[in-house]
Structure formats: C-alpha cells, structure tokens
Amino acid sequence: MRTLAIDIETYSSVSLQKSGVYAYAESPDFEILLFGYAWDDDPAEVIDLASGQDLPDEIKSALYDPEILKMAFNASFERTCLSKFLGQTTPPEQWSCTAVMARELGLPGSLEAVGEVIGLPEDKQKLKTGRALIRYFSIPCKPTKVNGNRTRNYPFHDPDRWELYIEYNRQDVEAERAIRKKLSRFSIADSEHVLWCADQHINDRGVKCDLNLAKNAIVIDECIKDELAQKAKALTGLENPNSQSQLKDWIFDQTGFFVESLEKKKIKSVRESIDDPSVNELLDIRAGLTKTSNEKYKAMITAACSDNRIRGLTMFYGASRTGRWAGRLVQMQNLPQNKLSDQDLDIARQLVLDCDIDTMRVVYEDIPYTLSQLIRTAFVPRDGFRFIVSDFSAIEARVIAWLAQEKWRLDVFNTHGKIYEASAEQMFHLPSGSVKKGDPTRQKGKIAELALGYGGSVGALTAMGALDMGLKESELKPLVDRWRAANPAIVKYWWDIDKAVSQAIKTRKPQTVRNICIYMKGPLLRIQLPSGRTISYVCPKIEDHNISYKGNIQTSGKWGPIKSYGPKFVENIVQATARDCLAEAILRLEKRGFPVVFHVHDEVICEVPKGISSADEISQIMSKTISWAQGLPLRADAYECDYYQKQ
C-alpha cells in the first residue's frame, strides 16, 4: 500500500485550545495555509495554498482512496481540517496517527518531544522556530499603529518569515515520517486501529448541548456571585474578598487565629478551630464564590458547533501508561455528581431555562451548588431520541480479583456483587450478610476497597478521606493489615508482578504471570495484557533494587525518570484491562447500531431513538463475556434519561 505523509498549517480566528478542532475548522475564516506531504520515501513537498497554489488532483483523489494510507502526527487534526476544506468527510479508516503510535509505546505526545526522546538526527527533527511562526501567521494578531491596525498577518507582510514557515511545514512532514519508521519496529495490535477509527466516528458525531441552559446558567451564576461578593465586602470591609491573603488577615484580626490555608479540604478544620458566626458566614459566601460551574458552561458554549453539538470530547490513548481516554474541552471526567432528586433536577432545569432567578432564590438555598448539579443535564439527545447510559459496576475491583484469582472476591462478584459489605465481613471475620448499608463497619470496608488495592497504606487511606469519614488515626494501620490479610492472592500478585518485571529487565528473558507476559523489546519494557494489547515503559532500569523508567512526570510535565514497583504496575495492568473491556463494549454497541455520543471513565452514553431498544438490552451487551476474559464477572447497569445525569 502506498503511503502519503501529511502535515498542514492553518488559520482560524477561533481558539484551537479552547474550542477544539471541530469548532476551529467551522469558523468562516478558517483556511489551510500550507499543505506539506511526501509520497512513500520521496522528498517532502509543500503546496502554498495561502499564496494561490492549488491541491493537485492526484492529492485530492488520494485523500479519498482506500488503497492509500494517509499518515499524520495528531491525524484527527489533519483529517478534520481537510474534511472541512474539501467539503467531504475523510474516512478515519484510511488514516493512521503517529502521535497515537508514540503514546502507545509510552513516548511523549508532541512531535518535537518524540523526536528528541528517540534521538532523531537534527535534520529530521521538528524545527524549534515553529511556535513563533504559528503565532505570526496562524492566529489573529493584535491591531497596533505599527501594523496598520490589522488583525491578521498574511504572507506578503513578511515574505522572509513566510519562507521559514514553508520550510517548517516541510520539516514537520520529514519528522513525522522519520518517527513512524523508527517506531514501526514495535508491534501494535491491529485492534487498536479499529478502536481509533471508532473513536474518530464518536468524536465526529458529537453530542448535543442545550446552549440556552448553559447561557442562562452563566447569567444566573454571575448575578449570584456579584451578590455574594457584595455581601462579603459588607461583612469584611475588604475591597477584594476573593483574595486569600486578605481573607486570612481579616480572620486573624477577627479571631486572633492564623489560618494556613483556605483550600476546600482545609475548610472543615478551620470551622472547627474557630467558633465565630461571622467567619462561618464568610466561609459559606466564599464557597459560593469559588464554585467553578460557570467555567464548564462557558466551555460548552465555546466548543459547540453551529448545530449545537460538541465534538472532540475525548482523546484516544490519552493516558500512555494504560491507554485510557483523556477528556478534552468540557472535561467530562470531572463533572459534579447529581445529588438532587430527579424531580428537583427537572424543576431546577426549567427555572434556569426560564432564567427565573427570583424563584430560584426561594426554592434553593445554594444556587451556585444547584447550577453545578445541572452541568451534566446540559447534554441532551436530539429530538425524538433519548440517552441510554450504561456503566460497568466496580470494574477495577472485578478485574483485579480476576487477574489475581482472589476466590472469595470472585464469588461475591458472581453473586450479589456487594463488595464493600463483603470486604468488611472478610476483614473482620463477620458472618456473610451481616454487614448492611449504613453500618460503620461497611464504611471501613468501603474506604479500604477504594484506597488499598494497589499497595496503598496509611497515607492512601488518609488521602481518600478516612479521617473525614470518622475513622481514628490509630485505626488506619490495623485496617491496612486486615485488608491485606483478607486478600492474600492480590498481595501475592503485586509481588509476583514486581519480581517478573525485575527479572525481565535484568535477564531480558520473557516472564509470565498467569495471563500476563512481560518482556523487553529494544529499549522498551512491554507488558502484554489478556486482550493481546501491550503497554510499554521506556528505558527501564534497576538501581539499588528500585525499578524506574522514563516518562512524562505528572507534577512537572517534563520527561524524566519515574520510580515504580509491583503494586503500581498492577494498577496500570488493571486499569488498562478495564479500558480494554470498555473498548470491547463500545465496539459491540456501535456494531449493534447503538451510536455512542461520548463516554466517561467506565460509562457509555448512547443516543437511541425513542421506542427502540431498552436499558436492559444495552446492559446485556455491556455485560456479555469477552472472549479473552473468560471468568471475568462483568456487570453493567443501565438507565434511560432525557438529559445526561448520574442515576
């Protein structure tokens, strides 16, 4: 098959970062400035569209020829922009994304960073002058007297710089192609390309957003926050009641108590330390002022296309250690949960749609909180359709039980599925069925389940909020010991994986732990999952019995060494396997004619015509045994709704 490497430079007055590529390309002033390409191993060429050149018929034809593989770094950008430019969708099945390939191998997500990490020759790396050129030609400029009050720079405004941009575009094609050649020696499962194509179709499809709800929510939120700010000023006499330093000084003057932090997690201890009604009133006001629901609504409006659908909500293989999707634009992964009843949600939505702030003041004590509860409900099906939402129940707990073959846990998941209650009974040697919801012992089982599955100890319990749930500090270490004693197969699995990783690095010989294969391939440590997919770790090594590899450091975003050990590798394996279960469910649903409009964590949202199918059918499709996961007790719960909500 012939290949066509592509890289484009574009212009749009819409912000790509804030609005995403779909709204960006939909802007009336969107255009492709430069089209860089290379056939197979031929030299890269650039078509200067901004200066009047046209795409050759050969290229136009190739963009829709299934016998020609189109390749790009972040191919979804090129594919979406070219679809808009040509007026016809370019099928994702004919494309391959080099950025996805890099992330699948544990490498960085940017063209420049990948080139540096894999050691491309200087003449094959992305030029570092690109950012300045993009700022000059590809985004609007600020009008000044010097530039004649223009809002955009064209090639004729700086011909020398434009020539540099052409060379930059050409070099990007060379860099992408060189990276692909270097990475192609590492096998990637064919099923991942099938899944990427499904992901592209889901992002192309998008989901409808009730923009009236979003716009009115912003108006109400700003009105309430203005009122709260005035109350705070009247109470404190401060000009800027949002300033933490000013608030801390005011609290000290008021009470003589020095507050170290006003972060959300610290507020409870501040209230307990200070018995002062005015301080409590101020903290209540500040809680309303710092609610960020407004930002989510603004993100919806910014990202919505002309048909009110938001596209591009997920990024395929966003987490390189597990392959999980990452959220984009509205960031669906961190939406507030619905705690209002269905009836209250209906009432609140209608009041916001009517922009009836006076009634809202009467009905709801905390309007910013109510608005945050409505964020999910801004996502709605199109007319004549409804959402069917289905999610896997306790998927990670089920997967780790299956991988480690922790029999009592598998028995629970194969029967009633109440893992918090069963865990408490196992830990405290209580009769089966004796722990009920609301029992303090169940709380201990719950916090242990949430915090301790991947080697966590006292610190993990504390971070998960064990002390806030009423546990005493003296109870934490015994709780850790009880959980580990109750789950010997899981604890053994941690250290079996730890030993296998160490042996694979030291001896470069493949190691097997049940249905997991761990081996070295060149500079990569590779862990083959039950699905057949492989996750990768770059340049692993062992120093002083400590395992480390290179990756993007979470705290800084920089490329560097990351320490790991058995339980952490198990966490990656479990989450990656859970991701593969979700992938299987998405492909099944799409194949059965249930279009997925978006998905969040282990939850899938389908847009289904009214009167067609049911929640039961969707949950059955999700729960069906997977061929590579025999014995894994999957269960999915589903429900129908006229707007997105968490039931």
Side-chain angles (χ1 to χ4, degrees):
M1 179 180 281
R2 294 190 72 190
T3 61
L4 181 62
I6 299 171
D7 185 82
I8 60 175
E9 308 302 337
T10 57
Y11 175 86
S12 175
S13 58
V14 170
S15 168
L16 179 61
Q17 287 70 33
K18 292 180 180 178
S19 300
V21 64
Y22 292 92
Y24 172 88
E26 196 180 72
S27 174
D29 58 11
F30 164 78
E31 63 177 294
I32 296 178
L33 306 175
L34 299 170
F35 183 96
Y37 69 98
W39 288 104
D40 300 321
D41 293 322
D42 293 349
E45 299 183 46
V46 176
I47 300 167
D48 186 351
L49 296 170
S51 299
Q53 294 181 3
D54 291 322
L55 281 184
D57 289 340
E58 180 191 28
I59 296 292
K60 289 179 182 177
S61 175
L63 290 172
Y64 296 95
D65 187 342
E67 298 303 314
I68 295 172
L69 179 66
K70 278 69 72 175
M71 310 180 306
F73 201 92
N74 289 326
S76 58
F77 177 80
E78 269 76 11
R79 194 183 67 78
T80 305
C81 289
L82 285 166
S83 295
K84 186 65 179 177
F85 177 72
L86 296 166
Q88 181 183 350
T89 300
T90 56
E93 289 79 8
Q94 299 177 18
W95 285 75
S96 179
C97 182
T98 311
V100 168
M101 180 186 287
R103 293 196 298 271
E104 286 175 331
L105 296 174
L107 293 165
S110 77
L111 185 62
E112 182 179 349
V114 173
E116 290 177 358
V117 167
I118 68 174
L120 284 185
E122 194 68 30
D123 65 335
K124 297 294 183 185
Q125 287 199 29
K126 183 181 179 76
L127 295 177
K128 301 186 189 308
T129 54
R131 286 193 183 92
L133 294 168
I134 290 168
R135 279 197 301 271
Y136 190 79
F137 289 112
S138 289
I139 62 175
C141 64
K142 186 177 180 180
T144 64
K145 287 184 180 180
V146 175
N147 70 12
N149 288 317
R150 68 174 180 265
T151 57
R152 179 179 174 185
N153 296 314
Y154 287 92
F156 62 81
H157 287 124
D158 196 328
D160 291 340
R161 196 178 294 190
W162 183 250
E163 287 301 316
L164 286 175
Y165 206 18
I166 291 173
E167 184 54 36
Y168 167 77
N169 181 233
R170 188 193 323 276
Q171 187 70 5
D172 270 5
V173 177
E174 295 285 4
E176 185 277 335
R177 188 168 56 175
I179 288 169
R180 176 173 287 272
K181 284 183 177 179
K182 196 150 187 177
L183 300 186
S184 61
R185 58 187 282 241
F186 301 99
S187 62
I188 292 169
D190 292 341
S191 58
E192 285 300 291
H193 183 256
V194 173
L195 186 61
W196 179 77
C197 292
D199 169 81
Q200 294 297 288
H201 287 301
I202 292 168
N203 276 318
D204 286 354
R205 187 178 297 138
V207 61
K208 186 178 177 182
C209 182
D210 190 332
L211 296 185
N212 288 330
L213 181 78
K215 289 172 183 176
N216 287 354
I218 292 170
V219 171
I220 293 169
D221 187 63
E222 289 177 348
C223 180
I224 293 299
K225 284 184 176 175
D226 184 61
E227 291 175 3
L228 290 173
Q230 295 306 318
K231 279 185 181 180
K233 285 180 182 180
L235 179 65
T236 63
L238 299 175
E239 187 59 34
N240 181 14
N242 281 322
S243 166
Q244 280 209 38
S245 60
Q246 289 185 33
L247 287 178
K248 288 178 186 178
D249 289 344
W250 179 82
I251 292 172
F252 181 79
D253 292 341
Q254 188 81 4
T255 66
F257 183 84
F258 176 72
V259 176
E260 290 186 10
S261 172
L262 287 171
E263 291 180 8
K264 188 176 180 180
K265 291 181 179 179
K266 305 288 185 181
I267 292 298
K268 184 179 178 182
S269 63
V270 172
R271 290 183 187 274
E272 290 172 349
S273 302
I274 303 172
D275 185 18
D276 186 295
S278 59
V279 171
N280 281 326
E281 184 182 355
L282 174 67
L283 294 175
D284 289 339
I285 292 171
R286 189 172 183 279
L289 286 171
T290 55
K291 281 256 185 247
T292 57
S293 55
N294 202 357
E295 298 309 310
K296 291 284 190 188
Y297 290 118
K298 287 180 179 178
M300 292 174 193
I301 293 167
T302 302
C305 294
S306 58
D307 59 358
N308 290 359
R309 292 183 83 87
I310 298 177
R311 297 175 169 86
L313 284 170
T314 57
M315 177 184 177
F316 185 77
Y317 225 103
S320 63
R321 242 89 76 194
T322 63
R324 282 185 159 184
W325 282 265
R328 289 293 177 265
L329 304 174
V330 184
Q331 292 294 347
M332 307 294 282
Q333 276 80 350
N334 61 4
L335 297 180
Q337 286 191 353
N338 296 133
K339 295 182 180 177
L340 295 177
S341 68
D342 289 354
Q343 184 179 8
D344 280 339
L345 282 176
D346 285 339
I347 293 169
R349 284 187 93 254
Q350 193 56 54
L351 290 173
V352 172
L353 286 168
D354 294 340
C355 214
D356 189 348
I357 192 168
D358 292 330
T359 303
M360 288 194 77
R361 285 193 184 96
V362 174
V363 177
Y364 301 105
E365 185 178 346
D366 188 342
I367 293 179
Y369 170 79
T370 304
L371 293 177
S372 74
Q373 291 286 291
L374 295 179
I375 292 172
R376 288 175 187 266
T377 76
F379 294 97
V380 294
R382 56 194 162 122
D383 292 345
F385 287 67
R386 85 283 202 202
F387 287 149
I388 300 182
V389 182
S390 183
D391 72 327
F392 285 122
S393 171
I395 183 67
E396 287 189 36
R398 291 168 184 265
V399 168
I400 196 170
W402 175 67
L403 288 170
Q405 286 299 292
E406 191 70 74
K407 186 177 181 307
W408 73 265
R409 298 174 74 91
L410 291 172
D411 290 342
V412 168
F413 289 127
N414 280 314
T415 53
H416 57 76
K418 297 178 181 178
I419 190 60
Y420 298 155
E421 290 88 341
S423 186
E425 290 161 3
Q426 194 78 8
M427 288 162 62
F428 294 97
H429 308 292
L430 299 171
S432 177
S434 62
V435 175
K436 307 292 184 184
K437 200 164 187 176
D439 189 325
T441 310
R442 181 185 182 275
Q443 281 291 83
K444 294 180 180 180
K446 180 178 180 178
I447 195 71
E449 284 298 311
L450 295 174
L452 304 179
Y454 305 124
S457 188
V458 171
L461 286 170
T462 304
M464 195 62 71
L467 298 177
D468 294 333
M469 289 170 62
L471 271 72
K472 297 175 183 176
E473 203 160 337
S474 59
E475 294 180 279
L476 300 187
K477 183 59 169 65
L479 196 63
V480 173
D481 295 339
R482 284 180 178 274
W483 190 90
R484 293 184 180 181
N487 293 277
I490 290 177
V491 173
K492 183 177 184 297
Y493 191 68
W494 295 342
W495 305 117
D496 286 347
I497 293 292
D498 186 89
K499 182 180 178 182
V501 168
S502 297
Q503 286 295 105
I505 296 170
K506 288 176 184 176
T507 67
R508 299 191 70 86
K509 293 180 180 178
Q511 307 291 315
T512 302
V513 181
R514 292 197 181 89
N515 50 1
I516 301 293
C517 182
I518 303 169
Y519 62 96
M520 291 294 299
K521 172 78 172 176
L524 300 181
L525 172 74
R526 310 203 76 188
I527 300 180
Q528 188 174 51
L529 304 168
S531 65
R533 180 168 71 96
T534 304
I535 55 177
S536 301
Y537 301 82
V538 180
C539 299
K541 63 180 180 179
I542 299 173
E543 289 182 339
D544 299 326
H545 306 291
N546 294 317
I547 304 169
S548 68
Y549 59 90
K550 289 185 178 177
N552 282 322
I553 301 168
Q554 215 168 23
T555 51
S556 66
K558 294 180 180 178
W559 185 261
I562 298 172
K563 288 186 177 180
S564 194
Y565 72 130
K568 191 66 182 174
F569 285 112
V570 169
E571 180 178 23
N572 290 170
I573 291 167
V574 169
Q575 292 183 349
T577 302
R579 176 270 198 190
D580 290 346
C581 293
L582 179 67
E584 189 79 24
I586 289 171
L587 293 175
R588 283 179 183 172
L589 290 166
E590 289 279 323
K591 188 175 181 180
R592 292 281 294 272
F594 298 112
V596 176
V597 288
F598 64 97
H599 50 93
V600 186
H601 300 304
D602 304 308
E603 177 182 79
V604 175
I605 297 87
C606 296
E607 189 176 53
V608 184
K610 291 180 179 179
I612 301 295
S613 187
S614 64
D616 284 344
E617 184 177 4
I618 299 292
S619 65
Q620 286 171 20
I621 293 170
M622 293 267 291
S623 302
K624 189 178 177 182
T625 300
I626 299 171
S627 59
W628 50 260
Q630 297 295 320
L632 172 58
L634 286 175
R635 176 186 152 189
D637 300 313
Y639 55 94
E640 302 183 19
C641 48
D642 291 325
Y643 47 75
Y644 181 45
Q645 61 188 102
K646 193 73 172 174
Q647 196 173 72

